[in-house]
Amino acid sequence: MTKPALTLLIAAPRGFCAGVDRAIRIVELAIERYGAPVYVRHEIVHNKFVVESLKAKGAVFVKELDQVPDGVPVVFSAHGVPKVVPAAAAERGLSYLDATCPLVSKVHRQAERLVAAGKHILFVGHAGHPEVIGTFGQVPPGAMTLIESAEEAERLAPADPANLAFLTQTTLSVDDTAEILAVFERRFPDIVAPRADDICYATSNRQAAVKAIARECDLMLVVGAPNSSNSVRLVEVAAREGTAARLVERAQCLDWAWLDGVKTVGLTAGASAPELLVRELIDLLATRYAITEREVVTTVEDLAFKLPRELQAA
Ligand code: SF4
């Protein structure tokens, strides 16, 4: 029986960003250098497949530092940690490696500088996300207010509206954030903006790549984990363009009913999803469809971040 035709428009860039690549490499090199086990506080990046692969190599994932035994190295995840975490590690004499993405660290340093300059920071982000917890942990309690929506920005009644600054999480929706920032700028004309956009290059590029193909697609499949902020945002970006969109953690999570009547599928992956999982999904689709693949490149990325000094010498 001939298989029905299915066109795949594959977004580029997609998948791993420079920060995720670096974080995974840090764990791998730490295992090579210090031997297993190497402890990792929090999922190094939000992807189960990555976490399981690193576990197989000798990484042990824990939620909190007090679960790390004395005398073994510990790695902090790409999302960043509150200042108290490295301080507690140092107090216990633990050797630690910080896999915080340099673009998250940049937001941390800006938060410190703004607070030192006496500003109150409005931080646009999602409550409970580890990056938000890490960034709030750079400044004294009360120095920063979390804003999750344009409605919250409208309702806000700051004590000193002339003395505000804003920062954002790196993995937000570019469009939703623009709405919130427009409210800030209208209501608080003196608000200090960050020197450069805090939404990182990888998040913006992946969203732009989805936008470029979404209207040509009947369905957008986003390979990524439900707790991966930038992956969930990619689903929302496609939906905003009027295209049905689904998050697919692994190929086996695909529901064939989603493909009923579908002729063109858009495919992308969040910044923490390995390309292997994209190929796995394409291979599964090919078992039932005659696939035509077309990669649509909107930007070429060539950024790479340096490893921590301790590992460069390894
Ligand atoms: Fe860094 Fe952006 Fe990747 Fe997050 S998504 S790890 S901020 S490059």
Side-chain angles (χ1 to χ4, degrees), residues 16-21 45 78-79 99-104 131 170-171 198-203 206 230 271-272 303 305:
F16 277 8
C17 59
V20 163
D21 219 34
V45 299
H79 314 95
T100 303
C101 175
L103 300 181
V104 174
E131 184 185 327
T170 56
T171 51
D198 292 334
I199 298 179
C200 78
Y201 80 99
T203 299
R206 278 149 194 69
N230 80 88
S272 44
L303 189 67
F305 294 128

Side-chain angles (χ1 to χ4, degrees), residues 238-286:
R240 251 184 192 251
E241 296 297 306
T243 306
R246 303 283 185 171
L247 193 65
V248 186
E249 197 162 8
R250 288 297 297 266
Q252 65 261 29
C253 307
L254 180 79
D255 182 342
W256 291 106
W258 298 340
L259 286 130
D260 286 349
V262 166
K263 299 266 179 281
T264 305
V265 171
L267 198 51
T268 187
S272 44
E275 182 64 11
L276 203 93
L277 302 188
V278 175
R279 286 318 314 178
E280 181 188 78
L281 182 56
I282 296 173
D283 291 346
L284 181 66
L285 289 167

Side-chain angles (χ1 to χ4, degrees), residues 271-313:
S272 44
E275 182 64 11
L276 203 93
L277 302 188
V278 175
R279 286 318 314 178
E280 181 188 78
L281 182 56
I282 296 173
D283 291 346
L284 181 66
L285 289 167
T287 60
R288 294 206 189 177
Y289 292 90
I291 303 276
T292 306
E293 288 182 38
R294 182 155 69 88
E295 188 173 63
V296 181
V297 182
T298 46
T299 314
V300 175
E301 295 176 345
D302 57 4
L303 189 67
F305 294 128
K306 274 192 194 156
L307 291 166
R309 207 168 302 129
E310 305 89 302
L311 294 178
Q312 283 173 23

Side-chain angles (χ1 to χ4, degrees), residues 93-112:
L94 292 176
S95 65
Y96 65 85
L97 290 158
D98 189 357
T100 303
C101 175
L103 300 181
V104 174
S105 301
K106 187 192 80 175
V107 178
H108 289 179
R109 299 295 75 79
Q110 287 189 89
E112 282 181 319

